[in-house]
Amino acid sequence: MLTLLAVTVVALVIGCAVQLIDRTHQRHSVFLLPGVALLTGLLGWVVMQFTGLGYHPELFWLSWSLPLVATVLVTVGTAWWLGRHRETEDAEALRRVTDT
C-alpha cells in the first residue's frame, strides 16, 4: 500500500508540474493534466500488481517506477497534443468570428 500512496502523490506532483510548465495551459482545464497523470499512474500501478511485479522481490521496484515513467510520458504527450490542436481550433474559431 505504501507504493500506491507513493505513486499517487508523485503522479499528482508530475501532473501539476507539467501543468505549470506548459505554455498553453490556459487552453484547457486546470485539473486536466493532473487528472491524466493520476489516472495513468494508478492504472499503471494496478496493472503492475495484477502482473505480479509488486510481489516479486527482485522486480519490486518496477511496480512503482514504470507507472511513474508512463505518467510522465502520457502527461507530457497530452499537454503537447492538446496545446497543438486547441491552438488550431482557437485560430479557426477566431477567424470565423472576425470574418462575419
Side-chain angles (χ1 to χ4, degrees), residues 22 28 32-33 36 40 73-83:
D22 185 23
H28 46 78
L32 180 67
L33 294 179
V36 166
T40 305
L73 294 175
V74 169
T75 307
V76 168
T78 301
W80 172 77
W81 188 81
L82 282 176

Side-chain angles (χ1 to χ4, degrees), residues 27 85-100:
R27 296 179 194 226
H85 287 284
R86 286 298 304 251
E87 184 175 0
T88 57
E89 290 175 8
D90 290 347
E92 288 175 9
L94 182 62
R95 184 182 45 79
R96 280 193 308 262
V97 167
T98 57
D99 287 346
T100 59

Side-chain angles (χ1 to χ4, degrees), residues 7 40-42 44-46 48 62-72:
V7 167
T40 305
L42 292 180
W45 184 84
V46 167
M48 292 298 131
L62 287 175
S63 68
W64 57 267
S65 63
L66 286 181
L68 295 178
V69 170
T71 297
V72 170

